[in-house]
Amino acid sequence: MLRLEKRPAPSRAWTAATPVLAVVLTMIAGGIMFALLGKNPFEAIRIIFWDPLFHESFAAYSRPQLLVKAGPLILIAIGLALGFRAGVWNIGAEGQYIMGAIAGASFGLAFYPSESPLIFPGMIIAGALGGWAWSMIPAILKTRFRTNEILVSLLLVYVAEKFLASAATGFLRNPEGHGFPGSRNLSRIESMNNPELISGTGMHWGIVAAFIAVITAYVLLNKHVLGYQIKLAGQAPRAARFAGVNPNRLIVLCLGMSGALAGLAGLFEVSGPAGQISIDFNVGYGFTAIIVAFLGRLHPIGILLAGLLMALTYIGGELAQLMLQIPAPAIQAFQGMLLFFLLAVDVLSTYRIRVKKEGVA
Amino acid sequence: MTGEPLLSINNITKAYPGVVANSDVSFQIQPGEVHALLGENGAGKSTLVKMIYGLVRPDSGSMTFRGAAYAPPEPRVARSTGVAMVFQHFSLFEALNVAENIALGMENPPPQRDLAKRIREVSEAYGLPLDPDRLVGDLSAGERQRVEIIRCLLQDPKLLIMDEPTSVLTPQEVEILFHTLRKLAAEGTSILYISHKLEEIRALCDEATILRLGKVVGKCTPRDTSAAEMAELMVGKSLATPARDNAELGEVILKVAGLSVEPSNPFGTPLRHVGIELRAGEVLGIGGVAGNGQDELLAALSGEVTTPPGTITLNKTPIGDKGPNERREMGILCAPEERLGHAAAPDMSLVENALLTARQRKNLADSGFVNWGATRAYAEKVIADFDVRTPGPDNVARSLSGGNLQKFVIGREILQDPTVLVVNQPTWGVDASAAADIRQAILDLAQKGAGVIVISQDLDELLEVSDNFAALNEGRLSNVRTTRDLTMETIGLMLGGAHDMHDLDEEAIHAEA
Amino acid sequence: MMGIDPITLIVALITVSTPVLLAAIGELVVEKTGVLNLGVEGMMITGAVMGFVVAVNTGSPTLGFLAGMASGMALSLIFGVLTQMLLSNQVATGLALTLFGLGLSALLGVGYPGSTPPPVSDPFPAAMAEIPVIGPILFGHSLIIYLSVLLVAAVWYVLGYTKVGLIIRAVGENHDAAHALGYKVIRIRLMAIMFGGACAGLGGAFLSVVRVQNWVDGMTAGAGWIALALVVFASWKPWRALLGAYLFGGVTALQLRLQAAGINIPVEILAMSPYVITIIVLVIMSSDKSRTALNAPAALGKVFHATG
């Protein structure tokens, strides 16, 4: 019989190895899933993980997409990871992403057709504030009334989606759009465009922001007292209070940071790759970022790598859809599976598995 | 009473990775005998009784019960064979009532109404009155123990195991318990009594088996053996009693007046009008049975709970509204009871745990950025000065033994040179030699002029270290007495609380008002 | 109000509430054993697609309901193994279950939107349902609705008045003490988790086969999360979960009718109202300190690892 035995200290080797192991296991299980769908599993795995980067005819198109898709995932996941480390469960990043995008777009469109160079920076600030404000709802309800932030932040996603529908068909609708839902195309308005900074790389301001977030979070967690307090509050809440950490302040801070980063991600997306506010411009980055955060072990560098990997599965998934007619939702199931495997093998870093001798009868 | 033993333990061995909990342990318990299992923390007593109760299985060796082979695979089997156990950390459910708690420990509980009736009958027959409808969360520690004992007695056990039963009782409650146990033994029930308190064992037990580091190191008849002899067998060496030169008490440095705090959880104890005056160089002992407001008092002194400014003053500065870190800067340092999770973060290294409370006074951070070099140096200093046994400061707190972690926690505060140090249960679950070191460190600190408050449930400890003594009962603090004038009898009355000490309490409130 | 008939509204609210009620009563039992499964949404949507697919293909709604229950249970078992045996974090695992369930259901349901499920026969004769006022309210529903109310009663009775219920509450209150008394904490929790999965799956199947009679990607639209909120609203009491579910159903049914009636409130505001009201109710419940703290299982969400 197998039994688990707690390690005296978490194993560093396993902490680093488990994400890799999880990816390998997911590839195997995913392969089985693709086989059940009647596709060649090896080909499918190759198309998802290899071709987007190295296929001679697709790679030129899909390589820049890697950064485009990884940018928002990393940006959101960094914020979430700070909260998760502190035991603050913001799972409504999707809603904050939407609200950031709406706030930023509204700010820009309010000045249409001004060409002031201050408009885009203003939109960035408005986007961050929009996400921040939306995340303050669960934060205030949690600190004032001890309402569970998981449920509130999640339910607010649905509210944000309805609000998005109302914005796209109502106050942000393009007056020159012949009555179709959707705002003016921001990426075609000079003063509101989030352009590709280096041609052919997919690099835009959102990705710059993501890199800055990674570095800042790294410094914060490793060198700063606040990062220490975040970790302490997550691991031992009573000890944190003893160390003078105000739990309410930390809740507001963590939800606020993750909300602002999600809002930023939404703004950069709507003013760049997505281009406009439409009923369904959001594609679930806010939820996928949860997987990214865990896959990256809530560590900034890990999140950077995990974000790139997850972006790869998005692009590879689209490619697999095109070439093998693998249905689009298969990739979503594939990503969910990855998180399962990660959580399952995680046990190896804190516990040792021992084969138990049969007890004396 | 001669003839076949009730329970016979034969050459039992049980090993965990890195530690042999029991090695070749053998002893016998006769019917109607009160048998003591004596040993320090970590001697292997708990593992042994868990095997008798079916929670753990031995690696090798055997047991017989009334002559038949006995190897319970689970507690249910142990219970149906006639073995019952009262746990040290009670296996009770706070949100359930007494009758429900008792039903959970029975194989075939009768319907609630019949059970309630039987609980009343049995509890009165043994002098341990209990109301079956009360929520366990609302009971005192002593009453909770009664629930456990009644749960066992309703099963008509042949063998009753009691794991450190008196640690949560007042001296008077201990007398009641001993009376009950003697009555049970006279009726033919055997009792396996686990303790490290020698005088208790001498007063109660017929035979004793002494364990050290998992091995049986001696057997004796406690009535005929001196406490010193048993102590030497138990510890393996004689320990120096902590001592200091005569104390010169200085000015009042810490004053607490009219401190009332509402508890943060539904089963907590409110503090009511607590008043304390602590002088420089004084060790004030605060005794009391668990759950009478000790945690709340520590939280109010550490700043984890804030109160109106004037309720606590340090050197005449009101600080009741200040948080933990501001108080640390001003010189009040604390060491809470719960080492893992409160005083230290279990999964953080000792370096990170050094930062937990030493940041202000040791300047371990500069404009928010942690100076990890200085923090590591401080952790290393604590480890060296307090003889903390660990491979190094990068090991996580959880990996240290209770005694070593406690030395680290106490050392971390003492090396910051506090004006006032407040410790709660400084030697709880700590081996004897570490306990002696910790007590000596507390005395040395007072000798240097700091004021120390020691909150403890261990009366022997308080009598050993404190100059003055007060008792905490249901959130009220009695007035302060000089320790050397106290008898166990008086202490018992003080701990007993409001009813017995009505006059004293009135005085205390008026004195502080 | 124009065009809103109270009787049809009540009938509609009962139908609207039932999926959420089923999921909530299952989760209530799970949480009573001290486990927080945030995967309700994922189990519901998988139950919805499996129930629909099986009902359409076999022509039997009963088989559809069974398939919904089985698939919810299978998913919950993944959660159970991960959290109870591999000691993973319950919040993260529950989220993973939801994300996985949403993807899996979309995959399984490819090609099914627009299919027509077999009709579900009602247990009472049509004549009874035609009795004025009480007829449609009491006798005009499908069997699952009566079953859901019976389930509430059964859970109420078992939790409050039986030894099994006492053990469930004890495990959720203090798993270490329950273990010390010899109860199999992990086994009890696994069974509760599977019961919760079956309930959520059945709720999902009811949603697709009976209420909507269609399969749409993501059709649960947060119902699983609302079920989780209902458990808090109910302070872990079964009858209050029923009350909460019907209140929520009432709001949803009313806003749908208001939308249809073309009242002068933006559609989006109406559509967000069930979520907003759920949040408001959550706030009201959680601000009442003493009551929730006493009923909440003390070991909720904590990892149990027996040492020794």
Side-chain angles (χ1 to χ4, degrees):
Chain A
M1 209 184 117
L2 296 175
R3 59 186 290 271
L4 296 175
E5 181 186 298
K6 197 155 190 172
R7 291 176 192 274
S11 155
R12 290 197 178 190
W14 274 115
T15 306
T18 43
V20 179
L21 185 59
V23 171
V24 172
L25 288 171
T26 311
M27 283 187 187
I28 296 169
I32 295 170
M33 178 176 82
F34 296 132
L36 289 176
L37 290 168
K39 316 292 176 190
N40 179 343
F42 298 100
E43 200 184 350
I45 297 291
R46 196 203 71 223
I47 290 173
I48 294 172
F49 288 97
W50 184 261
D51 285 358
L53 297 176
F54 304 108
H55 192 279
E56 62 265 24
S57 49
F58 305 124
Y61 163 77
S62 52
R63 243 183 252 154
Q65 282 295 308
L66 196 64
L67 283 182
V68 170
K69 294 226 161 30
L73 288 176
I74 294 169
L75 203 51
I76 301 170
I78 288 282
L80 294 182
L82 292 176
F84 292 171
R85 286 226 173 187
V88 179
W89 298 95
N90 174 14
I91 60 170
E94 185 77 2
Q96 294 138 21
Y97 175 89
I98 291 171
M99 296 312 273
I102 293 176
S106 305
F107 178 89
L109 291 171
F111 292 100
Y112 182 82
S114 160
E115 289 182 1
S116 159
L118 292 177
I119 287 184
F120 190 62
M123 285 167 69
I124 294 176
I125 292 166
L129 281 177
W132 174 82
W134 203 239
S135 73
M136 279 302 104
I137 299 174
I140 289 165
L141 295 182
K142 170 95 176 174
T143 52
R144 276 287 159 81
F145 306 107
R146 309 189 316 155
T147 312
N148 183 314
E149 80 280 15
I150 300 177
L151 294 174
V152 175
S153 63
L154 191 283
L155 288 169
L156 283 172
V157 174
Y158 293 97
V159 178
E161 282 177 348
K162 307 292 175 211
F163 186 70
L164 172 65
S166 148
T169 55
F171 64 92
L172 286 183
R173 190 171 62 187
N174 183 358
E176 290 148 32
H178 310 288
F180 283 105
S183 71
R184 287 181 198 278
N185 195 321
L186 306 175
S187 60
R188 296 207 195 114
I189 303 168
E190 188 59 35
S191 61
M192 303 178 197
N193 178 21
N194 170 22
E196 189 175 27
L197 297 172
I198 304 165
S199 160
T201 59
M203 185 69 129
H204 62 70
W205 284 114
I207 291 141
V208 176
F211 280 116
I212 294 172
V214 168
I215 295 163
T216 313
Y218 183 86
V219 173
L220 185 74
L221 284 173
N222 290 292
K223 307 281 175 199
H224 199 273
V225 171
L226 181 60
Y228 172 77
Q229 292 182 335
I230 284 174
K231 288 188 273 187
L232 190 60
Q235 289 185 16
R238 248 184 120 190
R241 198 175 263 256
F242 180 58
V245 179
N246 176 345
N248 284 348
R249 199 180 132 244
L250 210 59
I251 290 166
V252 170
L253 215 78
C254 286
L255 271 163
M257 282 192 288
S258 53
L261 288 177
L264 272 181
L267 176 273
F268 287 126
E269 191 68 13
V270 83
S271 57
Q276 63 171 158
I277 293 283
S278 59
I279 290 177
D280 53 359
F281 90 93
N282 60 317
V283 289
Y285 284 145
F287 291 115
T288 313
I290 297 172
I291 304 181
V292 171
F294 280 111
L295 187 62
R297 318 215 101 259
L298 308 182
H299 187 285
I301 308 296
I303 288 169
L304 179 69
L305 298 173
L308 290 168
L309 179 74
M310 203 55 78
L312 188 61
T313 63
Y314 266 120
I315 302 158
E318 283 168 14
L319 216 55
Q321 206 181 332
L322 201 72
M323 295 174 64
L324 293 178
Q325 287 75 49
I326 287 177
I331 291 304
Q332 210 187 335
F334 191 77
Q335 291 171 344
M337 231 189 273
L338 180 55
L339 185 47
F340 272 140
F341 279 113
L342 183 79
L343 292 165
V345 294
D346 222 18
V347 72
L348 295 170
S349 54
T350 31
Y351 293 85
R352 211 175 296 196
I353 294 181
R354 295 232 168 209
V355 182
K356 190 184 187 179
K357 284 178 289 184
E358 276 307 304
V360 180
Chain B
M1 294 258 294
T2 51
E4 195 176 59
L6 177 79
L7 175 72
S8 170
I9 309 273
N10 310 311
N11 312 99
I12 291 261
T13 295
K14 172 77 193 176
Y16 291 113
V19 55
V20 179
N22 288 129
S23 164
D24 201 23
V25 172
S26 303
F27 66 93
Q28 274 110 33
I29 302 171
Q30 304 297 329
E33 174 183 281
V34 184
H35 192 109
L37 194 57
L38 180 62
E40 273 210 79
N41 291 300
K45 295 170 296 181
S46 293
T47 308
L48 190 58
V49 294
K50 278 183 184 166
M51 286 189 279
I52 299 173
Y53 194 60
L55 279 167
V56 173
R57 292 217 226 167
D59 294 341
S60 66
S62 66
M63 294 185 276
T64 58
F65 194 85
R66 300 171 112 184
Y70 173 69
E74 54 175 345
R76 202 171 305 220
V77 177
R79 284 200 294 263
S80 62
T81 318
V83 176
M85 177 157 169
V86 174
F87 292 89
Q88 181 182 9
H89 306 290
F90 303 136
S91 53
L92 293 178
F93 307 91
E94 292 198 327
L96 305 183
N97 70 28
V98 169
E100 287 174 327
N101 266 281
I102 287 174
L104 279 165
M106 297 176 73
E107 287 321 307
N108 292 302
Q112 285 280 310
R113 199 179 310 156
D114 302 353
L115 182 61
K117 196 160 150 267
R118 286 210 57 204
I119 291 169
R120 285 211 175 83
E121 284 165 11
V122 173
S123 65
E124 266 151 44
Y126 286 93
L128 304 169
L130 261 185
D131 177 357
D133 297 325
R134 283 184 72 192
L135 280 188
V136 164
D138 294 331
L139 302 181
S140 74
E143 289 171 312
R144 289 179 194 209
Q145 188 179 58
R146 282 182 202 172
V147 178
E148 292 248 357
I149 295 173
I150 301 294
R151 175 153 77 188
C152 292
L153 295 186
L154 283 174
Q155 316 255 29
D156 257 331
K158 304 288 173 294
L159 173 66
L160 178 63
I161 305 172
M162 309 245 2
D163 192 356
E164 304 267 3
T166 58
S167 55
V168 296
L169 302 180
T170 63
Q172 277 79 359
E173 286 176 318
V174 171
E175 274 313 309
I176 297 171
L177 173 69
F178 281 11
H179 181 77
T180 307
L181 294 181
R182 286 193 192 104
K183 183 170 175 186
L184 275 171
E187 291 169 4
T189 308
S190 303
I191 293 161
L192 180 58
Y193 188 91
I194 296 147
S195 182
H196 62 269
K197 294 187 182 170
L198 304 165
E199 287 306 332
E200 277 179 6
I201 287 174
R202 294 191 64 218
L204 181 72
C205 301
D206 304 312
E207 291 296 325
T209 299
I210 301 163
L211 285 181
R212 187 169 77 229
L213 299 173
K215 292 196 177 76
V216 175
V217 291
K219 298 189 185 205
C220 65
T221 305
R223 287 190 186 86
D224 307 335
T225 315
S226 74
E229 278 174 80
M230 286 196 282
E232 188 144 348
L233 279 170
M234 179 170 89
V235 180
K237 59 180 175 187
S238 52
L239 292 167
T241 314
R244 67 159 162 163
D245 309 335
N246 257 348
E248 289 277 325
L249 301 193
E251 292 288 295
V252 171
I253 44 176
L254 179 76
K255 189 172 155 111
V256 178
L259 177 70
S260 296
V261 175
E262 286 307 309
S264 54
N265 73 70
F267 297 126
T269 312
L271 291 180
R272 300 192 192 119
H273 300 291
V274 169
I276 297 171
E277 281 192 353
L278 182 72
R279 294 170 181 280
E282 176 182 354
V283 178
L284 172 65
I286 295 183
V289 172
N292 272 294
Q294 288 92 336
D295 287 349
E296 289 78 5
L297 179 60
L298 184 116
L301 291 174
S302 72
E304 288 163 89
V305 169
T306 51
T307 51
T311 50
I312 305 174
T313 48
L314 179 72
N315 289 327
K316 305 204 170 67
T317 315
I319 58 162
D321 58 338
K322 300 276 189 285
N325 287 335
E326 288 164 283
R327 293 193 196 189
R328 284 192 184 105
E329 271 169 36
M330 302 170 90
I332 301 192
L333 301 183
C334 295
E337 170 181 2
E338 186 67 45
R339 288 182 285 269
L340 286 174
H342 194 182
D347 284 308
M348 284 190 165
S349 71
L350 295 180
V351 176
E352 289 168 294
N353 271 300
L355 185 66
L356 195 98
T357 64
R359 174 157 61 93
Q360 286 75 22
R361 290 177 80 79
K362 289 286 162 187
N363 293 321
L364 300 181
D366 183 13
S367 58
F369 286 90
V370 182
N371 182 343
W372 285 113
T375 308
R376 168 178 298 272
Y378 183 62
E380 279 166 352
K381 183 169 166 55
V382 174
I383 291 169
D385 287 13
F386 279 79
D387 188 28
V388 179
R389 306 281 164 81
T390 170
D394 291 317
N395 283 63
V396 297
R398 181 160 60 75
S399 68
L400 270 65
S401 73
N404 279 310
L405 183 57
Q406 187 69 358
K407 284 200 273 186
F408 181 82
V409 166
I410 299 274
R412 179 180 70 188
E413 308 307 325
I414 287 182
L415 287 180
Q416 293 181 52
D417 251 334
T419 317
V420 171
L421 177 68
V422 185
V423 292
N424 188 6
Q425 295 275 68
T427 62
W428 179 81
V430 164
D431 60 279
S433 93
D437 291 349
I438 289 167
R439 289 176 194 154
Q440 187 63 54
I442 288 170
L443 291 178
D444 291 346
L445 180 70
Q447 188 70 37
K448 285 196 284 181
V452 182
I453 296 178
V454 179
I455 306 170
S456 178
Q457 292 161 41
D458 184 343
L459 294 176
D460 298 329
E461 169 170 86
L462 292 177
L463 293 177
E464 197 173 293
V465 298
S466 53
D467 303 305
N468 292 312
F469 177 86
L472 198 57
N473 181 278
E474 291 181 6
R476 298 175 200 274
L477 193 68
S478 73
N479 61 344
V480 176
R481 299 282 196 88
T482 310
T483 309
R484 62 173 175 276
D485 301 340
L486 287 174
T487 61
M488 261 312 182
E489 172 89 48
T490 331
I491 294 180
L493 286 173
M494 289 172 83
L495 296 179
H499 304 299
D500 321 67
M501 297 295 289
H502 191 70
D503 297 340
L504 279 174
D505 255 59
E506 285 293 316
E507 270 173 47
I509 292 166
H510 289 300
E512 304 302 337
Chain C
M1 294 247 192
M2 61 230 159
I4 294 176
D5 169 27
I7 293 167
T8 50
L9 183 69
I10 291 173
V11 173
L13 85 81
I14 293 175
T15 312
V16 169
S17 316
T18 298
V20 185
L21 175 62
L22 283 166
I25 202 74
E27 177 67 14
L28 187 144
V29 174
V30 177
E31 292 192 15
K32 266 288 173 192
T33 65
V35 177
L36 179 65
N37 184 352
L38 293 181
V40 181
E41 178 85 0
M43 300 187 295
M44 269 186 103
I45 191 93
T46 310
V49 73
M50 282 304 288
F52 190 78
V53 167
V54 170
V56 166
N57 285 325
T58 62
S60 158
T62 313
L63 284 179
F65 294 136
L66 289 176
M69 287 171 76
S71 57
M73 212 191 269
L75 237 62
S76 73
L77 198 58
I78 302 178
F79 173 86
V81 169
L82 284 174
T83 57
Q84 302 307 305
M85 294 176 165
L86 299 177
L87 308 171
S88 67
N89 177 307
Q90 292 181 11
V91 173
T93 313
L95 285 174
L97 195 64
T98 288
L99 294 173
F100 176 68
L102 288 169
L104 182 69
S105 63
L107 181 61
L108 293 170
V110 169
Y112 280 92
S115 306
T116 313
V120 180
S121 55
D122 295 350
F124 293 105
M128 285 178 79
E130 280 159 18
I131 301 170
V133 186
I134 60 160
I137 294 176
L138 290 182
F139 304 116
H141 305 290
S142 81
L143 189 63
I144 302 290
I145 286 180
Y146 302 104
L147 196 75
S148 70
V149 179
L150 278 179
L151 196 63
V152 173
V155 167
W156 165 76
Y157 177 74
V158 169
L159 280 180
Y161 301 95
T162 65
K163 176 99 195 243
V164 172
L166 183 58
I167 294 171
I168 287 177
R169 286 186 285 144
V171 167
E173 177 64 24
N174 182 345
H175 47 220
D176 293 318
H179 174 72
L181 289 176
Y183 292 106
K184 306 270 182 237
V185 174
I186 292 176
R187 194 180 300 168
I188 292 161
R189 287 187 168 167
L190 277 177
M191 289 197 299
I193 289 168
M194 283 163 62
F195 173 76
C199 287
L202 181 61
F206 179 86
L207 179 70
S208 59
V209 176
V210 179
R211 195 192 139 199
V212 182
Q213 299 181 6
N214 194 1
W215 163 251
V216 186
D217 267 9
M219 69 186 296
T220 44
W225 296 101
I226 287 167
L228 279 159
L230 275 184
V231 179
V232 179
F233 164 79
S235 5
W236 294 270
K237 288 184 182 138
W239 288 114
R240 290 188 50 166
L242 180 89
L243 177 74
Y246 282 7
L247 272 177
F248 162 79
V251 173
T252 310
L254 183 65
Q255 67 91 0
L256 287 173
R257 248 135 252 265
L258 288 173
Q259 282 188 27
I263 200 168
N264 197 17
I265 302 175
V267 176
E268 290 83 9
I269 300 288
L270 287 172
M272 58 175 84
S273 61
Y275 305 104
V276 174
I277 286 170
T278 305
I279 292 173
I280 292 170
V281 168
L282 263 182
V283 170
I284 293 169
M285 288 314 295
S286 45
S287 59
D288 185 352
K289 252 185 182 178
S290 51
R291 211 171 28 195
T292 35
L294 266 181
N295 276 311
L300 189 59
K302 291 185 184 147
V303 172
F304 170 72
H305 180 231
T307 49

